[in-house]
Amino acid sequence: MKIDVFDMNGKKLKPIELSEAVFGQEYNEALIHQVVVAQLANKRQGTKSTLTRTEVSGGGKKPWRQKGTGRARQGSIRSPQWVGGGVVFAPKPRDFEQKINKKMKIAATISALSAKVSTSNLVVVDKIELAEAKTKLIANMLNSLNIDSKVLVVMDKDDEAVLRACKNLQNVTVINADLINVYDLAANTKCIATVDAIKKLEEVYA
């Protein structure tokens, strides 16, 4: 299983061999969906909190007598229909965590990587090196590689220049191969990975 390698100018270089165990597996949409939902749920803080009618101070006295006023009967000025009253079914702090075991995470990541290859959305470059941290250099690389959609750039190691150069590009996300995850793979149409990043992924997931 081979894939073409390009340089930053879009010139085709010698292809490399991809591991079938990592980049040649079947697409499991249900598993990917489950892992993405869990990943997003685990990001939630779950700290929102409002007061129910029993928790709002005041309102102990009946506003007016039950009958004879011509107005609707009221028991408390802290009832939900009153301004300043409590909230019906008030949200309270809770834990949204969903547990996904390690094997499922690995299988979902492999499935997502394989999907990028099968749909021709994985672009491998020999290396991404910038003389200076300029957004224009990354923009030129994307133009040379004919990429105009959301793209995930996978690096084999942290590169401050690349990170800074990509900050002003809304459709570009940079991630280290060690931190690659199913959500970022699913959320970005294209994936650019360096040769060293591909080797790193194969070491981890093969």
Side-chain angles (χ1 to χ4, degrees):
M1 185 177 178
K2 291 187 176 182
I3 190 169
D4 290 327
V5 178
F6 300 87
D7 63 13
M8 289 182 63
N9 296 316
K11 181 182 177 182
K12 189 181 290 188
L13 306 175
K14 185 180 178 182
I16 61 168
E17 193 86 25
L18 292 180
S19 169
E20 284 279 350
V22 180
F23 296 99
Q25 299 302 305
E26 288 185 11
Y27 180 60
N28 190 335
E29 185 177 1
L31 178 60
I32 288 176
H33 178 267
Q34 185 177 351
V35 173
V36 168
V37 168
Q39 192 175 336
L40 292 176
N42 294 340
K43 281 184 177 182
R44 297 183 68 174
Q45 287 183 314
T47 54
K48 63 181 178 180
S49 180
T50 54
L51 303 179
T52 63
R53 61 180 293 171
T54 62
E55 296 168 321
V56 180
S57 62
K61 181 184 176 183
K62 188 173 175 67
W64 50 77
R65 59 195 175 96
Q66 183 81 345
K67 293 177 177 293
T69 64
R71 289 178 289 185
R73 56 193 175 187
Q74 299 292 331
S76 170
I77 61 171
R78 296 299 180 237
S79 296
Q81 71 269 22
W82 285 72
V83 174
V87 177
V88 182
F89 307 127
K92 293 295 180 184
R94 54 173 289 199
D95 184 8
F96 289 94
E97 183 182 2
Q98 295 183 22
K99 291 188 177 179
I100 298 291
N101 65 48
K102 192 174 180 180
K103 283 185 178 180
M104 290 174 70
K105 283 183 184 177
I106 292 173
T109 304
I110 289 173
S111 180
L113 288 170
S114 299
K116 292 297 182 198
V117 176
S118 64
T119 56
S120 302
N121 283 322
L122 175 65
V123 179
V124 180
V125 295
D126 60 338
K127 57 187 175 182
I128 301 176
E129 289 182 352
L130 303 181
E132 48 188 336
K134 286 196 174 290
T135 302
K136 186 177 181 180
L137 298 176
I138 294 294
N140 289 340
M141 180 187 76
L142 296 178
N143 288 333
S144 299
L145 296 171
N146 295 319
I147 294 175
D148 56 3
S149 55
K150 290 187 71 175
V151 59
L152 179 67
V153 179
V154 185
M155 304 288 292
D156 63 295
K157 59 185 178 182
D158 292 331
D159 190 315
E160 190 64 30
V162 174
L163 284 171
R164 289 176 60 192
C166 292
K167 268 187 177 180
N168 290 332
L169 297 170
Q170 282 188 329
N171 291 332
V172 179
T173 303
V174 182
I175 195 170
N176 194 309
D178 293 333
L179 302 175
I180 200 163
N181 59 84
V182 181
Y183 172 75
D184 283 330
L185 286 169
N188 293 279
T189 307
K190 292 280 187 178
C191 179
I192 298 176
T194 63
V195 172
D196 288 336
I198 293 292
K199 290 178 180 176
K200 212 169 191 179
L201 290 171
E202 290 179 342
E203 288 174 11
V204 174
Y205 294 105

